[in-house]
Amino acid sequence: MLRFKNLGSGSAGNATLVEAQDGLQVTRLLIDCGLRVTELRRRLQAVDVALEDLDGLFVTHEHSDHIGHARRWAQETGRPVWMSEGTRLACEADNWNLPDTQLRVARDGVPIALGALQLHPFTVPHDAREPLQLRCSDGDRSLGILTDLGHASAHVVQALQGCHALLLEANHDPVMLSRSSYPAFLRKRIAGPLGHLSNDDAAALLQAVRHPALSCVVAAHLSERNNAPSLAQAALSTVLGCLPDDVPVADPDQGSAWHLA
Ligand SMILES: [Zn+2]
Ligand SMILES: [Zn+2]
């Protein structure tokens, strides 16, 4: 069984819990640690998971809403942390490093085995040194995690083929972004090819990877100022052929419910 629960999504801090069960073996991976560890602990406790129950952390890239509290997490848990070499170099440039005993280098296309979970990192176009996103599998079902990318490259579309569930970025509405109070350079960055997916970009990507066994799509990483949940839901539901309200949206503070892949 493979299931996931987002614990917080958006520029204020991201974290997603993925859990695979194989007989008596349960494996839990945290993807990104942009939440303070005390807050992470509190949100995990709400679903009866202790920080100590996590088997590892995968950091997608060095932006603070993803890596901000990873170092503290590593210190508190002593568990392994995967990141790309580029992300590791970004940490080094920021004057910190994880101990060699905990650091694991992840590479595009090289699978990682973690208990009952298999992880398949893939490169995405985003303005970080070497951003990776992740496909997770229990050997039967698979979940695609995809936020923080400016456009859907052919590589991304390929990596997500056949997923049964997706946590998919729907960052902004282009009209809201163009009218926002953000400075011009920031609006350009967000809308650019190395920024973030708009609702329509997300819908187009979903159209490219949609198949009959894709049963769950959760909208994620919504901009609080340049998007509204109803707009993201409208865009994705059109592709899925469901009601807008049937598309779950990961909330900055509440995250999402548990979803099965
Ligand atoms: Zn982000
Ligand atoms: Zn980012």
Side-chain angles (χ1 to χ4, degrees), residues 134-147:
L134 203 55
R135 180 184 176 119
C136 307
S137 170
D138 66 351
D140 177 27
R141 311 287 289 181
S142 49
L143 157 70
I145 302 283
L146 185 67
T147 68

Side-chain angles (χ1 to χ4, degrees), residues 61-63 65-66 126-128 147-149 189 195-196 221:
H61 63 298
E62 69 271 26
H63 291 161
D65 54 321
H66 299 265
H126 187 54
D127 53 2
T147 68
D148 296 74
L149 73 165
R189 185 216 147 219
H196 292 275
H221 215 297

Side-chain angles (χ1 to χ4, degrees), residues 138-177:
D138 66 351
D140 177 27
R141 311 287 289 181
S142 49
L143 157 70
I145 302 283
L146 185 67
T147 68
D148 296 74
L149 73 165
H151 67 280
S153 62
H155 188 60
V156 166
V157 172
Q158 172 74 34
L160 293 178
Q161 292 297 322
C163 281
H164 302 94
L166 291 174
L167 182 76
L168 176 62
E169 165 160 80
N171 178 259
H172 59 275
D173 172 69
V175 176
M176 287 179 75
L177 179 64

